[in-house]
Amino acid sequence: MSMRCASHAGSWYTDSRSELDGQLTGWLNDAELTWGPARAIIAPHAGYSYCGACGGWAYRQISPSVVKRIFVLGPSHHVRLSRCALTSMKTYETPLYNLTIDSKVISELEATGKFQFMDRKTDEDEHSIEMHLPYIAKVMEGYSFTVVPIMVGSLSTDSEALYGQLLAPYLADPENLFVISSDFCHWGQRFRYTYYDKAAGPICKSIEKLDKQGMDLIETLNPEAFSEYLRKYNNTICGRHPISVLLQAVKVLQQQGHKMNLKFLQYAQSSECYSMSDSSVSYASASLIFE
């Protein structure tokens, strides 16, 4: 059976099953259930020492007894991709237990002609999907479910709308959960991004203000407003395309009469920037509910 190895275990997060279980349990217990049951979450994908606690707030909103299938949309960090790509693996390894890929949905998506496939190396090199797998395994422990990993390329706004339309029927199904993988501002010279609004105070406060502006726009569920914000500030939100695909899917469902609400629940930065030689990455967790 073709299995994607947990290639970032032991570096980005611990490969010790008991240690990992303890960490995830702790982060989930520290978070509050305030915006659930989630139909979709936005959560970070950095090393757990940086963003594990923040991610717990998104995962805390999931009601595992309802969920039968989990779509994970993550950006591509290593390969140039103008479309979305599906996994060709049958299972995904995690230190807790292995996750089963939903081959039926993969086939349905392949049949649209709009998806390509990742090869094993591309799949295993990418951390944006893998970093969510242990959290999924922990939250869904004891329940039967499948996963649908989708690597999202650098899509045009038209393509974001197209994929949103293709995925909207799946988002409408209460048995499905969408995990949108994204970090927020990557700030510093090493990221070639040093936007600084001095009126906000120190650099870390300027970054927070910029991120919050983007988060507020995502909460309005307006894909055009979010696109306009990205054009204006070029904020280095690495999962901007997966987020935009979600917003486009929401837009389709709103036009069909569905009522939804998205709320950001937690925000963090890897470090506080005070000088132009500093750098940081921001993390945010959100939950989308259907009314």
Side-chain angles (χ1 to χ4, degrees), residues 40-45 72-76 84 128 132 150-153 155-157 159-161 163-165 167 171 178-186 211 213-227 229-230 235-251 262 264 282-288:
I41 61 171
I42 298 171
H45 56 233
V72 188
L73 275 62
S76 174
C84 288
S128 74
H132 291 280
I150 301 175
M151 186 189 278
V152 180
L155 307 180
S156 65
T157 47
S159 291
E160 288 166 355
Y163 286 107
Q165 207 155 17
L167 293 173
L171 181 62
F178 276 70
V179 173
I180 307 298
S181 176
S182 184
D183 294 337
F184 273 69
C185 185
H186 297 58
D211 279 331
Q213 207 176 327
M215 290 153 64
D216 288 347
L217 288 170
I218 294 167
E219 284 185 352
T220 69
L221 299 176
N222 182 333
E224 288 78 22
F226 182 54
S227 291
Y229 160 85
L230 291 170
N235 190 3
T236 42
I237 300 171
C238 57
R240 58 194 176 276
H241 297 296
I243 292 170
S244 295
V245 169
L246 174 69
L247 294 178
Q248 291 287 357
V250 164
K251 184 179 175 180
L262 186 144
F264 278 90
S282 309
Y283 314 112
S285 280
S287 173
L288 174 84

Side-chain angles (χ1 to χ4, degrees), residues 111-238:
T112 66
K114 303 299 182 185
F115 293 83
Q116 59 192 85
F117 279 91
M118 302 179 250
D119 58 33
R120 180 190 286 273
K121 184 181 188 310
T122 300
D123 207 338
E124 291 184 347
D125 283 350
E126 184 53 62
H127 65 276
S128 74
I129 292 171
E130 179 178 336
M131 296 308 294
H132 291 280
L133 304 178
Y135 250 127
I136 289 169
K138 178 63 187 168
V139 170
M140 296 300 296
E141 209 162 14
Y143 293 89
S144 177
F145 70 101
T146 53
V147 290
V148 183
I150 301 175
M151 186 189 278
V152 180
S154 301
L155 307 180
S156 65
T157 47
D158 285 350
S159 291
E160 288 166 355
L162 169 75
Y163 286 107
Q165 207 155 17
L166 289 173
L167 293 173
Y170 296 101
L171 181 62
D173 184 343
E175 292 191 339
N176 291 337
L177 169 76
F178 276 70
V179 173
I180 307 298
S181 176
S182 184
D183 294 337
F184 273 69
C185 185
H186 297 58
W187 194 94
Q189 286 160 6
R190 69 193 182 103
F191 299 116
R192 300 195 185 92
Y193 188 76
T194 51
Y195 172 84
Y196 180 24
D197 173 10
K198 290 187 172 61
I203 294 169
C204 54
K205 291 297 181 189
S206 167
I207 295 168
E208 182 174 354
K209 182 183 173 187
L210 179 68
D211 279 331
K212 288 280 169 74
Q213 207 176 327
M215 290 153 64
D216 288 347
L217 288 170
I218 294 167
E219 284 185 352
T220 69
L221 299 176
N222 182 333
E224 288 78 22
F226 182 54
S227 291
E228 183 52 42
Y229 160 85
L230 291 170
R231 274 194 294 275
K232 184 175 179 182
Y233 295 104
N234 290 310
N235 190 3
T236 42
I237 300 171
C238 57

Side-chain angles (χ1 to χ4, degrees), residues 11 21 28 38 43 48 59 65 72 74 77 95 99 101 104 131 164 168 177 179 208 222 241 244 254 258 289:
S11 51
D21 189 71
L28 288 165
Y48 280 179
Y59 279 95
S65 59
V72 188
H77 284 86
L99 310 184
I101 301 301
K104 178 177 175 286
M131 296 308 294
L177 169 76
V179 173
E208 182 174 354
N222 182 333
H241 297 296
S244 295
Q254 283 175 329
H258 292 276
I289 59 171

Side-chain angles (χ1 to χ4, degrees), residues 261-289:
N261 268 300
L262 186 144
K263 190 174 173 64
F264 278 90
L265 307 167
Q266 191 72 345
Y267 176 78
Q269 294 175 351
S270 61
S271 58
E272 292 189 338
C273 296
Y274 291 97
S275 80
M276 296 307 279
S277 59
D278 292 340
S279 67
S280 77
V281 179
S282 309
Y283 314 112
S285 280
S287 173
L288 174 84
I289 59 171

